[in-house]
Short mmCIF file of all heavy atoms in Angstrom, two decimals:
data_model
loop_
_atom_site.label_atom_id
_atom_site.label_comp_id
_atom_site.label_asym_id
_atom_site.label_seq_id
_atom_site.Cartn_x
_atom_site.Cartn_y
_atom_site.Cartn_z
N ALA H 351 0.99 -18.29 -14.62
CA ALA H 351 0.12 -17.70 -15.63
C ALA H 351 0.53 -18.13 -17.03
O ALA H 351 -0.31 -18.40 -17.89
CB ALA H 351 0.14 -16.17 -15.51
N GLN H 352 1.83 -18.20 -17.26
CA GLN H 352 2.33 -18.61 -18.58
C GLN H 352 1.86 -20.04 -18.89
O GLN H 352 1.36 -20.32 -19.99
CB GLN H 352 3.87 -18.53 -18.60
CG GLN H 352 4.50 -18.78 -19.96
CD GLN H 352 4.30 -17.60 -20.92
OE1 GLN H 352 4.26 -16.45 -20.50
NE2 GLN H 352 4.16 -17.91 -22.20
N ALA H 353 1.98 -20.93 -17.90
CA ALA H 353 1.57 -22.32 -18.10
C ALA H 353 0.06 -22.43 -18.32
O ALA H 353 -0.39 -23.17 -19.20
CB ALA H 353 1.99 -23.16 -16.88
N VAL H 354 -0.72 -21.68 -17.53
CA VAL H 354 -2.18 -21.69 -17.67
C VAL H 354 -2.57 -21.14 -19.05
O VAL H 354 -3.42 -21.72 -19.75
CB VAL H 354 -2.84 -20.89 -16.53
CG1 VAL H 354 -4.28 -20.52 -16.86
CG2 VAL H 354 -2.78 -21.67 -15.22
N ALA H 355 -1.93 -20.04 -19.47
CA ALA H 355 -2.26 -19.42 -20.77
C ALA H 355 -1.96 -20.38 -21.91
O ALA H 355 -2.74 -20.52 -22.85
CB ALA H 355 -1.49 -18.11 -20.92
N GLU H 356 -0.82 -21.07 -21.81
CA GLU H 356 -0.45 -22.01 -22.88
C GLU H 356 -1.42 -23.20 -22.93
O GLU H 356 -1.79 -23.67 -24.01
CB GLU H 356 1.00 -22.48 -22.69
CG GLU H 356 2.00 -21.39 -23.07
CD GLU H 356 3.44 -21.70 -22.68
OE1 GLU H 356 3.72 -22.84 -22.25
OE2 GLU H 356 4.28 -20.78 -22.79
N PHE H 357 -1.87 -23.65 -21.75
CA PHE H 357 -2.85 -24.74 -21.69
C PHE H 357 -4.17 -24.29 -22.33
O PHE H 357 -4.76 -25.00 -23.16
CB PHE H 357 -3.08 -25.17 -20.24
CG PHE H 357 -4.25 -26.09 -20.06
CD1 PHE H 357 -4.14 -27.45 -20.34
CD2 PHE H 357 -5.49 -25.60 -19.65
CE1 PHE H 357 -5.23 -28.30 -20.20
CE2 PHE H 357 -6.59 -26.44 -19.50
CZ PHE H 357 -6.46 -27.80 -19.79
N LEU H 358 -4.64 -23.11 -21.93
CA LEU H 358 -5.93 -22.61 -22.43
C LEU H 358 -5.90 -22.44 -23.95
O LEU H 358 -6.87 -22.73 -24.64
CB LEU H 358 -6.26 -21.27 -21.76
CG LEU H 358 -6.66 -21.32 -20.29
CD1 LEU H 358 -6.67 -19.91 -19.69
CD2 LEU H 358 -8.04 -21.97 -20.11
N GLU H 359 -4.75 -21.94 -24.45
CA GLU H 359 -4.66 -21.64 -25.88
C GLU H 359 -4.86 -22.90 -26.73
O GLU H 359 -5.35 -22.83 -27.85
CB GLU H 359 -3.30 -20.99 -26.18
CG GLU H 359 -3.29 -20.24 -27.49
CD GLU H 359 -2.06 -19.35 -27.64
OE1 GLU H 359 -0.95 -19.83 -27.32
OE2 GLU H 359 -2.20 -18.20 -28.07
N LYS H 360 -4.49 -24.06 -26.16
CA LYS H 360 -4.61 -25.33 -26.92
C LYS H 360 -5.95 -26.01 -26.71
O LYS H 360 -6.24 -27.04 -27.32
CB LYS H 360 -3.49 -26.28 -26.50
CG LYS H 360 -2.12 -25.87 -27.00
CD LYS H 360 -1.10 -26.98 -26.75
CE LYS H 360 0.25 -26.45 -26.34
NZ LYS H 360 0.58 -26.65 -24.92
N HIS H 361 -6.80 -25.48 -25.81
CA HIS H 361 -8.04 -26.17 -25.42
C HIS H 361 -9.19 -25.82 -26.36
O HIS H 361 -9.45 -24.64 -26.63
CB HIS H 361 -8.40 -25.81 -23.98
CG HIS H 361 -9.31 -26.80 -23.33
ND1 HIS H 361 -10.64 -26.91 -23.67
CD2 HIS H 361 -9.07 -27.74 -22.38
CE1 HIS H 361 -11.18 -27.86 -22.94
NE2 HIS H 361 -10.26 -28.39 -22.16
N GLY H 362 -9.91 -26.87 -26.80
CA GLY H 362 -10.99 -26.69 -27.77
C GLY H 362 -12.17 -25.88 -27.26
O GLY H 362 -12.91 -25.28 -28.05
N LYS H 363 -12.39 -25.85 -25.95
CA LYS H 363 -13.56 -25.12 -25.42
C LYS H 363 -13.25 -23.65 -25.14
O LYS H 363 -14.12 -22.92 -24.64
CB LYS H 363 -14.04 -25.80 -24.13
CG LYS H 363 -14.67 -27.15 -24.40
CD LYS H 363 -15.58 -27.60 -23.28
CE LYS H 363 -16.31 -28.86 -23.71
NZ LYS H 363 -16.92 -29.56 -22.58
N VAL H 364 -12.02 -23.25 -25.46
CA VAL H 364 -11.62 -21.87 -25.19
C VAL H 364 -11.61 -21.08 -26.51
O VAL H 364 -10.98 -21.51 -27.48
CB VAL H 364 -10.24 -21.84 -24.51
CG1 VAL H 364 -9.74 -20.41 -24.35
CG2 VAL H 364 -10.33 -22.52 -23.15
N ALA H 365 -12.36 -19.98 -26.54
CA ALA H 365 -12.50 -19.21 -27.79
C ALA H 365 -11.27 -18.35 -28.06
O ALA H 365 -10.83 -18.21 -29.20
CB ALA H 365 -13.74 -18.32 -27.71
N TRP H 366 -10.72 -17.77 -27.02
CA TRP H 366 -9.55 -16.91 -27.19
C TRP H 366 -8.84 -16.79 -25.85
O TRP H 366 -9.44 -16.98 -24.80
CB TRP H 366 -9.94 -15.52 -27.71
CG TRP H 366 -11.00 -14.84 -26.87
CD1 TRP H 366 -12.36 -14.92 -27.04
CD2 TRP H 366 -10.80 -14.02 -25.71
NE1 TRP H 366 -13.01 -14.21 -26.05
CE2 TRP H 366 -12.08 -13.63 -25.24
CE3 TRP H 366 -9.66 -13.57 -25.02
CZ2 TRP H 366 -12.24 -12.82 -24.11
CZ3 TRP H 366 -9.83 -12.75 -23.90
CH2 TRP H 366 -11.12 -12.40 -23.46
N VAL H 367 -7.53 -16.48 -25.90
CA VAL H 367 -6.74 -16.28 -24.68
C VAL H 367 -5.96 -14.98 -24.84
O VAL H 367 -5.39 -14.71 -25.90
CB VAL H 367 -5.73 -17.43 -24.44
CG1 VAL H 367 -5.01 -17.23 -23.10
CG2 VAL H 367 -6.43 -18.76 -24.46
N ASN H 368 -5.95 -14.20 -23.79
CA ASN H 368 -5.21 -12.94 -23.80
C ASN H 368 -4.22 -12.95 -22.64
O ASN H 368 -4.61 -12.92 -21.47
CB ASN H 368 -6.22 -11.78 -23.65
CG ASN H 368 -5.53 -10.42 -23.62
OD1 ASN H 368 -4.36 -10.30 -23.99
ND2 ASN H 368 -6.26 -9.41 -23.19
N TYR H 369 -2.95 -13.05 -22.98
CA TYR H 369 -1.89 -12.95 -21.96
C TYR H 369 -0.67 -12.37 -22.65
O TYR H 369 -0.21 -12.91 -23.67
CB TYR H 369 -1.57 -14.33 -21.36
CG TYR H 369 -0.54 -14.27 -20.26
CD1 TYR H 369 -0.81 -13.58 -19.08
CD2 TYR H 369 0.71 -14.87 -20.42
CE1 TYR H 369 0.15 -13.50 -18.06
CE2 TYR H 369 1.66 -14.80 -19.40
CZ TYR H 369 1.37 -14.12 -18.23
OH TYR H 369 2.32 -14.03 -17.24
N PRO H 370 -0.14 -11.26 -22.15
CA PRO H 370 0.94 -10.58 -22.87
C PRO H 370 2.22 -11.42 -22.99
O PRO H 370 3.10 -11.08 -23.78
CB PRO H 370 1.17 -9.28 -22.09
CG PRO H 370 0.32 -9.34 -20.87
CD PRO H 370 -0.62 -10.50 -20.98
N GLY H 371 2.28 -12.54 -22.22
CA GLY H 371 3.44 -13.41 -22.32
C GLY H 371 3.32 -14.47 -23.42
O GLY H 371 4.24 -15.26 -23.62
N LEU H 372 2.17 -14.50 -24.13
CA LEU H 372 1.99 -15.43 -25.24
C LEU H 372 2.46 -14.78 -26.54
O LEU H 372 2.06 -13.64 -26.81
CB LEU H 372 0.51 -15.81 -25.40
CG LEU H 372 -0.12 -16.77 -24.39
CD1 LEU H 372 -1.60 -16.95 -24.71
CD2 LEU H 372 0.60 -18.11 -24.37
N PRO H 373 3.25 -15.49 -27.34
CA PRO H 373 3.68 -14.90 -28.62
C PRO H 373 2.50 -14.50 -29.50
O PRO H 373 2.63 -13.61 -30.34
CB PRO H 373 4.50 -16.03 -29.26
CG PRO H 373 4.99 -16.83 -28.10
CD PRO H 373 3.90 -16.77 -27.06
#
Side-chain angles (χ1 to χ4, degrees):
Q352 186 74 33
V354 163
E356 286 170 8
F357 169 80
L358 288 168
E359 199 167 45
K360 288 190 218 107
H361 201 287
K363 290 201 173 164
V364 174
W366 54 270
V367 184
N368 179 15
Y369 183 64
L372 286 178

